[in-house]
Amino acid sequence: MNFSWLLETDSKSLRSMNGSRRNSGSSLVSSSSASSNLSHLEEDTWLLWGRIVNEWEEVRKKKEKQLKDLVRKGVPHHFRAIVWQLLCNAQNMPIKDQYSELLKMTSPCEKLIRRDIARTYPEHEFFKEKDSLGQEVLFNVMKAYSLVDREVGYCQGSAFIVGLLLMQMPEEEAFCVFVKLMQDYRLRELFKPSMAELGLCMYQFECMIQEQLPDLHMHFQAQSFHTSMYASSWFLTIFLTSFPLPVATRIFDIFMCEGLEIVFRVGLAILQMNQAELIQLDMEGMLQHFQRVIPHQLDSGPDKVIQAAYQVKYNAKKMKKLEKEYTTIKTKEMEEQVEIKRLRTENRLLKQRIDTLEKESASLADRLIQGQVTRAQEAEENYLVKRELATVKQQSEEANAQLEQAKKTIEQLQQQQQPQQQPNAKGAPRYSEESVLQLERELVQARLKEAESQCALKEMQDKILDMEKRNTSLPDDTNVARLQEELIGVKLREAEALTGLKELRQQVRDLEEHWQRHLARTAGRWKDSPKKNTLSELQDELMSVRLREAEAQAELRETRQRMLELETQNQIHSNQLRRAEQESRCLQECVQTLTLQNKDLHAQLQEIKRRQAEIECKSKEEVMAVRLREADNIAAMAELQQQISELEIQKEEGKVQGQLNHTDSSQYIRDLKDQIAELKHELDVSCNPLTHTTSSIGSEQA
């Protein structure tokens, strides 16, 4: 199979990138110097990978182990685009043709994607400038995938993976590779809104730590240092946000070939390398160690950590077993959440019922009290009316008695008037007209009083009738007893509601026991009758429905856990900020102290320079004096040499003269030799002090 078209595509993609992209941290070989500065080993590697790419299907089937070994050693930079597509089978995907159409559509996640684009590789040349080519193609790929997979949409962290792909290949190929990674490499489960797969990875990784690093695991537990606080970004971004880009790219090579296993291996290897330091730190210290110290440990290269990763024990069967255990734990938690939710609902309903009964009881008590108050008021009014009636009756009787007395008095007066008028018929009457008029007025007044008494009596009788009617409408003793019975019934219903709540709690415990028995019977389901099997299936369906209802509660719990983690991180950051402020104040004080010391040192330096200048002047003066003495010595030496020459001439003349005179000149010669020796001795003495003085001046200057 010939992949020359892939090579051509890769070369075009490389030419399309700017120079900063070729000089990025992820580039292991510079494209500008690749053809001229390759060593023989690199040339052999390129030839080997070229043959592998051209014969991919055969190599993948027959030499899979050798291919894995080569990938672990690292894929050459310019082969990554092709090899990554081949490793995930993304070279001929139909979805690639839909990419341009997807870019024309509108995604609901565009605002979130725009917000996070600037925070993706902020220091990388290809992505750091706003509205640059790198940010634009990254936005396009993330938007296209959010339209393809609407359940996942966009999740923070996935942009780092897409950014790494865009460093190696054009955006259409990066989109296809990212789709393959999400579908076939468990990344889609990691990036789902529930993040259930991330919880499984954290559980498996924590079990590996507990088994292989028990001391470190106990320290983490003692400090409440959860695995998700440092390892969640490892799995979500495949170390792209935790390690230097060249190291993370090498790990990503192995991830493309072997999957998430390399993340578990590298993570445990890092913990093994830093176990001694981590055990000595508290929670904040460990967080700072993971953020600041560990990334710089890998600046030298990824080979050390990759070799340590493949020394880690990794059992695929045990990981499957841990996955089943995690599923069982989550299922049990969801069942408990279902029961708790149901009990909370029933408790809420019972509370509402109790509130209703309490309101009814309060209403009845108010009615009873109001009735008793009204009855007391009516009884008091009735008593007052009866008292007024008795008074009116007494007044009426007194008026009647006065009226009778007046009638009797009138009759007596009439009887007395008749006999008196007969004998005096012709004379004047005994009583005058004034007395008669007075009596008539008294009679009229008596009748008016009688009429008033009759009206008052009638009014009182009407009022008595009205009061009797109202008394019939008031609650009597039987009505009060009925209201009291209703109040007692309300209190009894309230007590029944509390008893029902206790019974519901007992039913929950019975249900748990029943569920355990049901699990015990499930093993022999197919041996029972069809009716029992149907009942068991219905029970299973019921439990599945309850499990689905519990998922929402589980998600809420996870959200609360994440909120607690964020609050913890916020507290940690606040503590770090406070310490940073303290350090800043300490540094300012140090700066002030150093400034004062600098001033003192500057003054000392000026004093030293002044002393040095004085010493230089003295040394120059001494040098001039030495040179003068040297010149004098040279002149003296010249004179001595001249004397020696003259003596030698005299010597020669003496020899010649002695030979001529045939006399013994040996004594004369000896005298000349003694003079010459003395002159040489004086010459040596004059030279030695000059040399000593010159050497001492040179040492002082030095």
Side-chain angles (χ1 to χ4, degrees):
M1 181 178 181
N2 190 355
F3 287 94
S4 60
W5 62 276
L6 285 174
L7 289 168
E8 182 179 358
T9 304
D10 183 55
S11 63
K12 289 180 180 179
S13 66
L14 290 171
R15 286 194 299 270
S16 66
M17 300 301 173
N18 54 18
S20 62
R21 182 174 176 179
R22 291 195 299 270
N23 296 327
S24 64
S26 64
S27 300
L28 301 181
V29 181
S30 174
S31 62
S32 62
S33 61
S35 60
S36 60
N37 296 327
L38 285 175
S39 64
H40 294 292
L41 180 60
E42 291 173 334
E43 291 178 355
D44 294 340
T45 304
W46 277 54
L47 293 174
L48 176 60
W49 277 102
R51 289 198 301 271
I52 290 173
V53 168
N54 286 317
E55 301 172 0
W56 179 257
E57 296 295 334
E58 184 179 357
V59 171
R60 189 70 181 267
K61 292 178 181 178
K62 297 181 180 180
K63 298 180 180 180
E64 185 175 0
K65 187 176 183 304
Q66 291 84 347
L67 180 61
K68 283 186 178 181
D69 293 338
L70 285 173
V71 172
R72 291 174 185 176
K73 293 178 182 179
V75 180
H77 172 64
H78 293 296
F79 281 94
R80 279 203 175 103
I82 302 171
V83 173
W84 285 2
Q85 293 180 56
L86 293 173
L87 285 172
C88 64
N89 295 323
Q91 62 271 22
N92 290 317
M93 292 182 66
I95 199 171
K96 183 177 180 181
D97 299 332
Q98 304 175 11
Y99 182 74
S100 58
E101 297 296 328
L102 291 171
L103 296 182
K104 298 177 182 178
M105 301 169 65
T106 302
S107 172
C109 305
E110 289 185 8
K111 188 175 180 180
L112 294 174
I113 298 172
R114 286 288 186 193
R115 183 190 64 188
D116 291 339
I117 286 297
R119 293 183 284 185
T120 304
Y121 299 114
E123 298 179 358
H124 197 279
E125 293 292 335
F126 190 51
F127 297 103
K128 70 179 183 180
E129 294 183 2
K130 186 178 180 181
D131 299 330
S132 62
L133 175 62
Q135 291 191 5
E136 190 62 30
V137 295
L138 180 58
F139 173 79
N140 291 340
V141 175
M142 299 307 302
K143 171 186 172 182
Y145 184 80
S146 67
L147 292 169
V148 170
D149 190 353
R150 293 185 180 272
E151 181 182 2
V152 174
Y154 168 71
C155 182
Q156 289 183 343
S158 57
F160 287 94
I161 298 176
V162 175
L164 180 63
L165 297 176
L166 289 171
M167 294 178 196
Q168 315 298 331
M169 60 190 75
E171 55 182 303
E172 293 86 355
E173 285 78 3
F175 172 68
C176 295
V177 173
F178 184 64
V179 171
K180 272 291 183 181
L181 291 177
M182 296 291 283
Q183 293 175 352
D184 300 342
Y185 286 73
R186 294 171 60 184
L187 291 185
R188 185 176 184 275
E189 302 298 324
L190 285 174
F191 289 118
K192 275 186 177 180
S194 63
M195 289 189 174
E197 189 73 14
L198 181 61
L200 171 61
C201 292
M202 294 296 100
Y203 178 76
Q204 291 173 331
F205 190 63
E206 186 173 358
C207 291
M208 291 179 68
I209 298 172
Q210 184 177 5
E211 179 183 359
Q212 302 185 31
L213 302 172
D215 296 337
L216 186 61
H217 180 264
M218 291 178 63
H219 180 66
F220 284 168
Q221 293 291 328
Q223 295 292 329
S224 299
F225 192 61
H226 302 292
T227 309
S228 58
M229 295 174 69
Y230 63 91
S232 57
S233 61
W234 293 355
F235 288 88
L236 289 174
T237 62
I238 321 297
F239 298 105
L240 290 172
T241 58
S242 304
F243 295 163
L245 199 54
V247 178
T249 307
R250 281 284 304 278
I251 297 173
F252 202 83
D253 289 339
I254 305 173
F255 168 74
M256 294 292 293
C257 183
E258 302 179 19
L260 281 176
E261 176 183 343
I262 187 62
V263 182
F264 287 98
R265 288 183 176 274
V266 171
L268 205 62
I270 289 171
L271 293 180
Q272 287 178 348
M273 295 165 60
N274 294 271
Q275 181 178 4
E277 291 84 356
L278 291 173
I279 289 178
Q280 305 297 326
L281 301 173
D282 58 357
M283 179 190 289
E284 296 181 9
M286 287 188 288
L287 280 174
Q288 292 181 1
H289 191 81
F290 276 103
Q291 293 173 359
R292 300 179 182 178
V293 179
I294 290 179
H296 295 295
Q297 291 178 350
L298 306 178
D299 289 340
S300 60
D303 294 331
K304 181 179 179 181
V305 71
I306 291 175
Q307 290 176 2
Y310 282 98
Q311 301 298 322
V312 172
K313 295 179 181 179
Y314 181 87
N315 191 339
K317 293 183 179 179
K318 189 167 185 179
M319 298 298 280
K320 288 289 184 183
K321 183 179 178 182
L322 291 174
E323 182 176 355
K324 292 181 180 179
E325 289 179 1
Y326 181 78
T327 305
T328 304
I329 292 171
K330 282 297 179 182
T331 304
K332 188 175 180 181
E333 288 181 356
M334 285 190 287
E335 290 175 0
E336 293 176 354
Q337 292 296 330
V338 168
E339 290 300 324
I340 291 172
K341 185 177 181 180
R342 186 177 64 81
L343 288 174
R344 285 178 178 173
T345 304
E346 293 178 356
N347 190 14
R348 187 175 66 253
L349 293 175
L350 287 173
K351 285 182 178 179
Q352 292 177 358
R353 185 178 176 186
I354 290 171
D355 293 339
T356 304
L357 292 174
E358 288 179 350
K359 289 178 181 178
E360 292 178 358
S361 175
S363 177
L364 289 173
D366 292 340
R367 286 171 57 190
L368 178 61
I369 294 170
Q370 187 66 31
Q372 290 177 350
V373 171
T374 306
R375 186 179 178 190
Q377 292 176 354
E378 295 293 338
E380 186 177 359
E381 291 179 0
N382 193 6
Y383 174 73
L384 293 174
V385 169
K386 285 181 180 180
R387 261 185 23 178
E388 290 178 0
L389 180 61
T391 304
V392 170
K393 283 182 179 181
Q394 186 177 1
Q395 292 176 357
S396 178
E397 289 176 356
E398 291 177 354
N400 288 329
Q402 290 177 1
L403 183 59
E404 291 293 334
Q405 186 67 29
K407 285 180 179 180
K408 289 178 180 180
T409 303
I410 290 170
E411 289 177 356
Q412 290 176 0
L413 290 173
Q414 288 177 355
Q415 290 175 1
Q416 291 176 1
Q417 186 178 8
Q418 289 178 359
Q420 289 177 0
Q421 289 178 356
Q422 290 178 0
N424 297 321
K426 294 182 180 180
R430 185 178 177 179
Y431 296 98
S432 63
E433 292 180 358
E434 293 180 359
S435 61
V436 173
L437 292 173
Q438 181 66 29
L439 291 172
E440 286 179 354
R441 284 196 295 271
E442 291 179 0
L443 179 61
V444 170
Q445 290 178 358
R447 287 181 178 176
L448 287 174
K449 288 183 179 180
E450 182 180 4
E452 290 176 357
S453 300
Q454 292 293 333
C455 290
L457 179 61
K458 188 175 181 181
E459 289 177 358
M460 290 298 169
Q461 288 176 351
D462 293 338
K463 190 178 287 188
I464 288 169
L465 291 174
D466 188 18
M467 294 296 294
E468 288 178 352
K469 289 180 181 180
R470 292 171 65 183
N471 285 334
T472 55
S473 64
L474 287 174
D476 54 4
D477 295 336
T478 57
N479 291 334
V480 174
R482 183 175 58 80
L483 291 174
Q484 291 177 350
E485 289 176 357
E486 290 181 1
L487 180 60
I488 293 170
V490 168
K491 292 182 177 179
L492 289 175
R493 287 196 294 272
E494 182 178 357
E496 289 176 358
L498 295 174
T499 306
L501 180 60
K502 294 180 180 179
E503 291 177 355
L504 286 174
R505 291 175 178 170
Q506 183 63 33
Q507 287 177 4
V508 170
R509 291 192 289 270
D510 295 340
L511 182 59
E512 291 178 353
E513 295 176 359
H514 176 70
W515 176 244
Q516 296 296 330
R517 291 196 298 272
H518 170 69
L519 291 177
R521 292 196 305 269
T522 306
R525 176 185 296 177
W526 302 108
K527 298 179 182 179
D528 296 334
S529 62
K531 184 176 181 180
K532 291 184 178 180
N533 291 335
T534 305
L535 181 59
S536 300
E537 291 175 357
L538 291 174
Q539 290 176 349
D540 291 342
E541 291 178 359
L542 178 60
M543 292 307 299
S544 64
V545 171
R546 290 180 176 178
L547 290 176
R548 286 194 297 271
E549 290 178 352
E551 288 178 356
Q553 191 68 23
E555 292 176 357
L556 178 60
R557 185 176 179 182
E558 292 176 355
T559 304
R560 288 177 178 173
Q561 181 66 26
R562 278 187 282 176
M563 184 177 70
L564 289 175
E565 293 176 358
L566 290 174
E567 290 177 353
T568 303
Q569 292 180 0
N570 187 16
Q571 185 66 29
I572 291 170
H573 292 161
S574 300
N575 295 336
Q576 291 177 354
L577 182 60
R578 187 170 61 254
R579 286 197 298 273
E581 291 175 354
Q582 293 176 356
E583 291 176 359
S584 177
R585 289 195 293 271
C586 293
L587 289 175
Q588 288 177 357
E589 294 175 357
C590 292
V591 168
Q592 293 177 357
T593 305
L594 292 174
T595 304
L596 295 175
Q597 293 178 358
N598 190 14
K599 290 181 180 178
D600 295 336
L601 292 174
H602 187 69
Q604 293 177 5
L605 181 62
Q606 294 295 332
E607 182 66 20
I608 291 170
K609 287 182 178 179
R610 185 182 62 77
R611 291 178 181 177
Q612 186 179 3
E614 292 177 357
I615 292 171
E616 288 178 355
C617 292
K618 290 181 180 179
S619 64
K620 287 180 180 179
E621 291 175 356
E622 291 176 356
V623 168
M624 291 299 295
V626 168
R627 286 180 179 176
L628 290 174
R629 288 197 296 272
E630 183 180 359
D632 294 337
N633 290 330
I634 290 171
M637 185 172 63
E639 291 177 358
L640 291 173
Q641 287 177 354
Q642 186 178 1
Q643 291 178 5
I644 291 169
S645 299
E646 291 175 356
L647 290 172
E648 286 177 352
I649 293 170
Q650 290 177 6
K651 176 183 175 183
E652 292 296 330
E653 289 177 353
K655 285 182 180 181
V656 173
Q657 188 178 1
Q659 289 175 1
L660 292 174
N661 296 326
H662 299 284
T663 60
D664 188 7
S665 62
S666 59
Q667 183 64 35
Y668 181 73
I669 292 172
R670 281 194 298 269
D671 294 337
L672 289 177
K673 284 183 177 181
D674 293 333
Q675 291 179 1
I676 290 171
E678 289 176 358
L679 290 174
K680 285 183 178 181
H681 179 69
E682 291 178 359
L683 181 62
D684 292 333
V685 170
S686 63
C687 289
N688 287 330
L690 179 62
T691 305
H692 177 71
T693 305
T694 306
S695 61
S696 63
I697 291 172
S699 62
E700 287 179 359
Q701 289 179 350

